[in-house]
């Protein structure tokens, strides 16, 4: 079957078939972030409340973990045993990502909960356990230990001081635990990409990831794609009018 149209809009993702088919019209610039994303869908260990509408993100040394609610339409006050699902996007180094991809579903859930549901990191002590390098003068050693304790206490207070478990401007809640993986666990390399010479060719327009990709943190790729669609629709409207 053949479909004819005045304009073909390619919104078919980062590996766009349309863009690749018209390769000479849309040369790409790419740059690797040296990071890999591990993604899957999980069932959350909650059955009601507003978790179905809440996104969580935890920032780790190698990259962030995002827990993003999907296809949940439960009312906050509705009593139900219907499961609540969320998508996981875990950005990390390629080596750690490959390790996560090698885990079973149960092992992945355990690792995810350990990383996502932990509290704030505590700074390591300034002094080692055996006080190596400290002068063997009791009063200096005592002062150093007291300063170490004071600085670590102050750091914890600054970190936790504005957190509260009651609804307020600084409302904080620990992310819900995940109960099980639903479907496959997949991974893909993260890279920046952009077409070199514009998003259009005769009777063809690229939008969203077909035209450009960025790091998934904060959903900026989705926002850019919506901006593409809005701009294109405005141009079409202007041309028709």
């Amino acid at each position: 079957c053949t479909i004819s149209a005045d304009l073909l809009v390619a919104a078919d993702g980062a590996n766009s078939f349309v863009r690749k088919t018209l390769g000479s019209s849309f040369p790409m610039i790419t740059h690797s972030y040296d990071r890999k994303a591990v993604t899957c869908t999980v069932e959350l260990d909650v059955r009601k409340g507003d978790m179905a509408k809440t996104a969580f993100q935890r920032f780790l040394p190698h990259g962030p973990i995002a827990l993003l609610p999907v296809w949940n339409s439960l009312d906050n006050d509705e009593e139900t045993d219907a499961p609540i699902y969320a998508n996981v996007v875990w950005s990390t180094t390629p080596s750690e990502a490959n390790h996560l991809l090698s885990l079973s579903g149960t092992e992945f859930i355990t690792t995810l909960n350990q990383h996502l549901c932990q509290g704030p990191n505590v700074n390591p002590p300034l002094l080692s356990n055996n006080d190596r390098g400290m002068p063997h003068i009791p009063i200096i050693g005592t002062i150093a230990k007291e300063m170490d304790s004071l600085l670590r206490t102050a750091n914890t207070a600054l970190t936790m001081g504005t957190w509260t478990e009651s609804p307020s401007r600084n409302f904080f809640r620990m992310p819900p635990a995940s109960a099980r993986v639903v479907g496959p666990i997949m991974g893909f390399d993260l890279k920046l990409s952009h077409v070199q010479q514009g998003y259009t060719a005769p009777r063809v327009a690229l939008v969203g990831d077909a035209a450009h990709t960025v790091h998934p943190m904060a959903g900026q790729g989705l926002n850019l794609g919506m901006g593409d669609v809005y701009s294109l629709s405005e141009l079409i409207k202007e041309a028709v009018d």
Side-chain angles (χ1 to χ4, degrees):
C1 144
T2 301
I3 299 175
S4 299
D6 293 331
L7 176 65
L8 173 61
V9 179
D12 50 346
N15 297 316
S16 170
F17 172 80
V18 174
R19 189 193 67 235
K20 290 180 178 179
T21 302
L22 302 173
S24 60
S25 299
F26 297 110
M28 297 289 290
I29 300 173
T30 61
H31 171 74
S32 173
Y33 287 114
D34 194 28
R35 287 294 184 270
K36 190 170 184 176
V38 176
T39 182
C40 64
T41 300
V42 296
E43 180 182 337
L44 300 182
D45 192 19
V46 291
R47 285 293 180 272
K48 63 177 181 175
D50 59 357
M51 290 297 185
K53 304 175 183 177
T54 305
F56 294 88
Q57 195 162 32
R58 174 60 62 106
F59 291 88
L60 301 174
H62 292 159
I65 306 175
L67 190 67
L68 310 170
V70 294
W71 77 75
N72 300 303
S73 58
L74 302 180
D75 184 82
N76 288 352
D77 299 323
E78 184 180 351
E79 295 291 339
T80 180
D81 289 330
I84 294 179
Y85 300 101
N87 280 340
V88 173
V89 182
W90 189 336
S91 304
T92 185
T93 60
S95 59
E96 184 175 22
N98 291 335
H99 169 68
L100 294 171
L101 291 168
S102 72
L103 300 177
S104 67
T106 301
E107 293 170 332
F108 181 85
I109 286 294
T110 299
T111 304
L112 174 66
N113 287 333
Q114 287 174 346
H115 285 78
L116 189 62
C117 301
Q118 65 183 348
N121 292 333
V122 178
N123 286 349
L126 299 176
L127 304 175
S128 60
N129 292 332
N130 56 12
D131 293 336
R132 285 181 295 181
M134 288 297 301
H136 295 290
I137 304 175
I139 188 170
I140 293 180
T142 300
I143 291 173
K145 289 179 180 178
E146 292 298 326
M147 286 297 297
D148 175 49
S149 176
L150 177 62
L151 290 172
R152 297 181 70 199
T153 301
N155 174 73
T156 302
L158 289 171
T159 302
M160 300 292 292
T162 60
W163 287 5
T164 173
E165 292 186 357
S166 27
S168 71
R169 182 172 179 274
N170 295 321
F171 187 25
F172 172 81
R173 280 180 307 182
M174 195 68 74
S178 298
R180 66 186 183 95
V181 175
V182 181
I185 302 173
M186 299 174 289
F188 58 93
D189 295 326
L190 297 177
K191 61 183 179 180
L192 172 72
S193 66
H194 198 279
V195 292
Q196 289 183 352
Q197 301 171 1
Y199 300 166
T200 61
R203 299 175 61 185
V204 178
L206 306 182
V207 296
D209 284 357
H212 43 66
T213 62
V214 295
H215 196 288
M217 186 176 69
Q220 291 305 303
L222 174 61
N223 293 338
L224 289 170
M226 289 180 174
D228 292 342
V229 173
Y230 175 80
S231 297
L232 180 61
S233 63
E234 287 293 301
L235 289 172
I236 294 173
K237 182 177 182 298
E238 180 181 329
V240 171
D241 292 344

